Amino acid sequence: MADKILKELTLKIWRQKDAKSKGEFKTYKVHNISTGTSFLEMLDILNEQLVEQNEEPVAFDHDCREGICGTCSLFVDGRAHGPDDDVTTCQLHMRRFEDGATITIEPWRCGAFPVIKDLIVDRKAYDKILQAGGYVSVSTGGVPDANAIPIANDKAEEAMDAAACIGCGACAATCKNSSAMLFVAAKVSQLALLPQGKIEAARRAKAMVAKMDELGFGNCTNTGACEMECPKSISIAHIARLNREFLKAKLKD
């Protein structure tokens, strides 16, 4: 399909100087945007325009622009990462928008992710949860032959599915309670399914859930919104495993 030109787009963008300042939406116009342009490239074009006009460019987070790192975390027209399913914002292209459209762009809305500036939020809360127990500290030896790994194929595949989580924060930002359960469940689940993760399983589940609660994330009410907006389609079935791991650890206590 040949690229088309969107003659004019109206962008309503959240602008906020810092975490302590009051933010507001500001409106901008961009012209002659190719439908083959990525969403972040469109923001780059806007920023070039703002710099030429001696205005402050819009601050937004990005890194790999390949859907791997999850830093390109934006709410676009009320949806985490935008109107496409199973993609991050950097993989969203302007072909998803009509000529003359008004696009609303916001940062993550979650108490545990305070706004740093404009569209950038502080997601260190996820790092702190991982530091609480999302790792294996035991020595697992060298790399074994692929055919000698004592893990059932279905378990290995499920662990890999959980490990696909990129920690972008869309689950917590989408959840009406700002719950981080899908993120925590994915990190616990990927290790709970593997022999290497069994030794610290009880301590891991308790520590990560406790840290999640300490940081102010809400409770899960199983609406499924997190799974719907997850760019890696992490299943809420992992939340059930997290609950089992947590209850087993508490019963051992």
Side-chain angles (χ1 to χ4, degrees), residues 20-83:
K20 296 180 180 179
S21 300
K22 184 178 180 180
E24 62 178 343
F25 282 105
K26 290 196 174 180
T27 302
Y28 304 95
K29 301 279 188 181
V30 289
H31 302 85
N32 300 322
I33 302 295
S34 168
T35 54
T37 301
S38 75
F39 197 83
L40 296 190
E41 287 171 338
M42 182 274 294
L43 290 179
D44 289 336
I45 292 170
L46 170 64
N47 278 342
E48 289 176 3
Q49 176 182 309
L50 292 176
V51 169
E52 289 175 357
Q53 297 169 352
N54 292 318
E55 294 185 43
E56 181 77 15
V58 177
F60 64 94
D61 232 343
H62 63 92
D63 191 5
C64 71
R65 299 202 178 195
E66 295 179 351
I68 299 171
C69 66
T71 58
C72 56
S73 305
L74 300 177
F75 252 91
V76 180
D77 285 343
R79 288 191 62 183
H81 293 299

Side-chain angles (χ1 to χ4, degrees), residues 153-185:
N153 183 68
D154 60 332
K155 296 296 184 185
E157 290 295 325
E158 196 173 356
M160 285 298 292
D161 288 343
C165 170
I166 56 176
C168 67
C171 50
T174 298
C175 176
K176 65 179 183 179
N177 301 323
S178 296
S179 173
M181 282 288 281
L182 189 64
F183 168 75
V184 176

Side-chain angles (χ1 to χ4, degrees), residues 12 14 38 40 70 81 98 106 124-126 139 141 146 159 168 177 179 211 253:
K12 292 179 65 178
W14 184 260
S38 75
L40 296 190
H81 293 299
E98 298 292 333
E106 304 172 73
K124 286 200 292 287
Y126 270 10
S139 174
C168 67
N177 301 323
S179 173
K211 181 59 69 172
D253 288 346

